[in-house]
């Protein structure tokens, strides 16, 4: 009894963690275990699944070129979105760290405000712009740049543009925090040693802000490949990405084991992709060997 | 010690002006530094010394005025186009590069062949006496070592002038003294022209051939350390260069080599100065180490005053006495090893040479 009492006492510091750990365990870990199990169960048209373990869901998935293509489109959308967000977001984040006072407050509030607008509204706004005979088409026709119906709304390009727009604020805020952490003097020192601006950026800024680049890249990639609402509203079924297939097998075809299998594939892709990206950037910037001074 | 420089002017600053918003930081600053010279900008924080350095480096643009390096105007050039080296306050080493890569960075930017880079890097690391740390990262080095690497990184570029922005302010007292001497050694070893910025008077004296004391965006006095210490000229400069007893009085008599100053009941004698006239108000300063104390009254009655010790402060190598002479309190420093030590309430006689009485301008 006494030993139990001491044990409980020595782990007293963990008490505040219990609600969060409990939430994660009940609403994330348990469903994930269930999902993983489901992906190995046999599909049955009447009972949805039978308690028989099988690999047939994965065999079906990887045996079909249609699904391989879907993986490729999903990864392509994820990568294009991520690259677009980082390339567009980095200069803005840098500018944000360089301005002061009211300008900075207004900019920050502006980025945060756009997060208050629900993704549904933002996406519908874009859908209206992209519609055949919508605003973009009218505008382009006004200048005689195009004639006839615009084939824009159902494309990967349109999807990536909307995903970039929606995810930009997250990346800017994360990147700004990591750019802020690099002392101005490091850049000045590089300049005084004869480095032109692009070399200061490549040799000093990129390696020193790599933690921010990695975390925003990871976050944006995961959000983009798992995005469901935006593909549904912008491209419908004409651009097939994994989340749409998951939804369709879950709600329309009621083949839950197969939907679970696609989910597991998507999960593994994001996990492995993120891990590889971390390993490569760590190796490139020699992370772990040095500390900020 | 006071060397005569008849050498080429390396850096010339003419009529430099700079404001940040409504605040004028530099008001028409002029400065000239000759080859091999170490000039210190000494002043309190906010006096514009760091701004001057940053403008010389090209990191800031001046509102007016021009900067010349070896006679050529450089005000329009970005920092990478000037042959100027800089050691930053926090060294600004690149934490993700090894010591070798840090020192080689500038040479690589010049596209120097790697064999030659290797030689130059090892040569300069020998000069700063750190040849064995090339593979280490800055975070694995002590503060003093990081600083020497920062010096090596700037010096390996063979700049026309080296700018030092309070490089010792992050070091503890003992290391600071060590690095002052080390920097002086490196500076002399490569004979590099140096503009040094500090708010520490002792650093300025140890390092420099000339000290420029700055206040409110202007150089108020520029001369050799000894000359400035001997004749500070104004109360601001005097107070910045160490402790002093400040008195104000009236000139009661002027002779060929002596002036007489009445401060309350005391009559001081000082060497004559063109800055005073009979009957005028005058401010004077007396350094605490220039005052002698004895138990017995001296035969010579000039600049001798009787007082009572009100406090004794032990400082290690020195002792500080507070002595009341009538209404006036004098601080007097003595070596603590001296035989004649006094106690509180001892009655003593103060004595100082008339050369010890520094005549100051009266500040408005």
């Amino acid at each position: 009894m006494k030993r139990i009492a001491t044990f409980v006492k020595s782990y007293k510091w963990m008490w505040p963690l219990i609600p969060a750990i409990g939430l994660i365990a009940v609403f994330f870990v348990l469903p994930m275990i269930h999902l993983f199990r489901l992906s190995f169960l046999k599909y049955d048209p009447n009972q949805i699944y039978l308690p028989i373990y099988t690999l047939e869901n994965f065999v079906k998935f990887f045996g079909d070129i249609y699904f391989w293509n879907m993986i490729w489109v999903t990864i392509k959308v994820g990568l294009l979105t991520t690259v677009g967000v980082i390339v567009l977001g980095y200069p803005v984040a840098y500018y944000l760290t360089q301005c002061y006072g009211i300008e900075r407050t207004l900019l920050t509030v502006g980025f945060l405000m756009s997060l208050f607008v629900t993704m549904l509204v933002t996406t519908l706004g874009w859908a209206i712009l992209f519609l055949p005979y919508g605003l973009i088409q009218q505008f382009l026709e006004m200048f005689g740049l195009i004639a006839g119906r615009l084939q824009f709304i159902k494309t990967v390009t349109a999807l990536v543009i909307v995903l970039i727009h929606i995810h930009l604020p997250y990346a800017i805020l994360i990147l700004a925090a990591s750019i802020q952490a690099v002392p101005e003097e490091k850049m000045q020192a590089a300049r005084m040693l004869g480095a032109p601006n692009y070399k200061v950026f490549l040799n000093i800024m990129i390696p020193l802000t790599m933690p921010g680049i990695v975390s925003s890249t990871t976050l944006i990639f995961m959000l983009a490949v798992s995005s469901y609402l935006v593909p549904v509203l912008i491209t419908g079924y004409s651009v097939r990405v994994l989340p749409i297939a998951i939804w369709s097998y879950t709600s329309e075809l009621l083949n839950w084991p197969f939907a679970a299998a696609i989910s597991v594939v998507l999960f593994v892709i994001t996990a492995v992709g993120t891990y590889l990206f971390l390993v490569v950037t760590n190796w490139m910037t020699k992370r772990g060997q040095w500390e900020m001074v | 010690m006071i060397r005569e420089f008849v050498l080429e002017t390396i850096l010339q600053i003419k009529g430099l002006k700079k404001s940040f918003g409504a605040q004028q930081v530099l008001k028409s600053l002029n400065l000239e530094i000759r080859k091999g010279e170490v000039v210190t900008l000494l002043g309190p924080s906010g006096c514009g010394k760091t701004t001057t350095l940053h403008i010389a480096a090209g990191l800031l643009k001046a509102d007016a005025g021009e900067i010349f390096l070896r006679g050529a105007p450089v005000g329009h050039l970005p920092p990478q186009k000037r042959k100027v080296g800089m050691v930053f306050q926090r060294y600004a080493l690149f934490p993700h590069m090894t010591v070798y890569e840090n020192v080689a960075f500038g040479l690589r930017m010049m596209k120097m062949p790697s064999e030659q880079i290797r030689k130059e890097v090892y040569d300069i690391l020998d000069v700063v006496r750190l040849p064995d740390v090339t593979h280490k990262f800055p975070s694995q080095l002590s503060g003093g070592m990081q600083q020497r690497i920062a010096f090596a990184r700037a010096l390996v570029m063979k700049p026309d002038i080296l700018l030092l922005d309070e490089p010792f302010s992050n070091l503890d007292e003992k290391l600071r003294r060590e690095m002052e001497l080390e920097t002086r050694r490196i500076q002399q070893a490569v004979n590099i022209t140096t503009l040094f910025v500090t708010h520490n008077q002792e650093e300025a004296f140890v390092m420099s051939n000339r000290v420029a004391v700055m206040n409110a965006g202007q150089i108020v006095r520029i001369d050799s350390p000894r000359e400035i210490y001997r004749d500070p000229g104004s109360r601001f400069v005097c107070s910045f260069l160490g402790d002093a007893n400040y008195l104000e009085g009236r000139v009661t008599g002027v002779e060929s080599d002596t002036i007489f100053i009445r401060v309350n009941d005391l009559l001081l004698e000082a060497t004559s100065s063109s800055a005073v006239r009979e009957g005028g108000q005058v401010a004077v300063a007396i350094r605490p180490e220039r005052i002698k104390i004895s138990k017995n009254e001296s035969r010579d009655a000039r600049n001798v005053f009787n007082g009572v010790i009100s406090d004794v402060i032990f400082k290690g190598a020195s002792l500080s006495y507070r002595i009341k002479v009538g209404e006036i309190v004098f601080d007097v420093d003595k070596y603590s090893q001296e035989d004649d030590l006094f106690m509180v309430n001892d009655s003593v006689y103060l004595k100082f040479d008339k050369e010890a009485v520094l005549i100051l301008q009266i500040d408005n």
Side-chain angles (χ1 to χ4, degrees), chain A residues 183-200 202-205 207-208 285-286 289-293, chain B residues 54 57 59 79-80 84-86 88-98 101 105-106 109 111 137-140 146 153 157:
Chain A
E184 179 84 24
E185 286 178 357
K186 310 271 183 210
M187 288 177 265
Q188 294 177 338
R191 243 172 238 135
M192 298 212 58
L193 290 166
N197 286 336
Y198 79 94
K199 291 240 168 156
V200 176
L202 287 179
N203 292 323
I204 311 297
M205 282 311 282
L208 292 184
T285 59
K286 300 181 201 150
Q289 297 179 50
W290 55 271
E291 280 165 49
M292 199 70 175
V293 285
Chain B
H54 282 195
L59 298 170
Q80 59 264 32
V84 169
M86 183 146 167
F88 289 83
Q89 196 169 5
R90 284 168 295 166
Y91 322 137
L93 293 175
F94 308 132
H96 59 300
M97 298 183 193
T98 60
E101 290 167 327
F105 184 85
M109 292 299 133
K111 306 222 160 60
F137 287 96
S139 55
Q140 295 165 314
Q146 287 181 23
R153 189 179 65 175
M157 302 295 289

Side-chain angles (χ1 to χ4, degrees), chain A residues 254-276:
Chain A
L254 290 181
N255 185 346
W256 290 12
F258 194 67
I262 306 176
S263 307
V264 169
V265 170
L266 183 58
F267 179 77
V268 170
I269 287 174
T270 40
V272 171
T274 306
Y275 180 73
L276 285 181

Side-chain angles (χ1 to χ4, degrees), chain A residues 9-177:
Chain A
K9 218 172 182 178
S10 64
Y11 284 92
K12 221 171 160 178
W13 61 270
M14 282 188 82
W15 289 6
L17 301 180
I18 287 172
I21 291 174
L23 269 175
I24 292 172
V26 174
F27 294 102
F28 181 73
V29 178
L30 286 182
M32 282 306 284
I33 291 170
H34 180 63
L35 187 80
F36 195 70
R37 181 172 161 268
L38 197 58
S39 70
F40 289 99
L41 293 180
K42 195 168 173 54
Y43 169 65
D44 179 81
N46 301 317
Q47 290 177 273
I48 296 183
Y49 61 87
L50 300 171
I52 304 166
Y53 289 95
T54 170
L55 282 174
E56 69 174 35
N57 300 314
F58 291 97
V59 172
K60 181 182 166 193
F61 184 86
F62 290 113
D64 193 338
I65 187 77
Y66 174 76
F67 290 112
W68 280 100
N69 186 47
M70 192 182 280
I71 293 180
W72 163 237
V73 172
T74 309
I75 292 178
K76 188 167 79 176
V77 167
L79 288 179
L80 287 173
T81 305
T82 311
V83 171
V85 165
I86 301 297
V87 169
L88 292 177
Y90 202 99
V92 181
Y94 183 75
Y95 183 78
L96 191 62
T97 62
Q98 298 298 306
C99 61
Y100 295 96
I102 189 76
E103 190 183 5
R104 184 170 191 160
T105 314
L106 285 176
L107 275 175
T108 313
V109 168
F111 296 133
L112 289 173
M113 288 271 273
S114 69
L115 293 177
F116 282 114
V117 178
T118 169
M119 199 187 285
L120 189 70
V121 174
T122 317
T123 313
L124 278 173
W126 277 103
I128 292 165
L129 288 176
F130 284 144
L131 274 179
Y133 304 109
L135 268 177
I136 289 181
Q137 176 157 27
Q138 287 177 20
F139 185 75
L140 292 176
E141 270 184 351
M142 203 167 83
F143 293 98
L145 290 170
I146 55 162
R149 197 177 149 187
L150 184 72
Q151 290 294 340
F152 201 46
I153 181 136
K154 305 274 183 189
T155 60
V156 171
T157 314
L159 177 59
V160 169
I161 287 174
V162 179
L163 285 174
I164 287 174
H165 173 232
I166 287 172
H167 295 130
L168 206 48
Y170 302 100
I172 289 171
L173 293 175
I174 295 174
L175 287 172

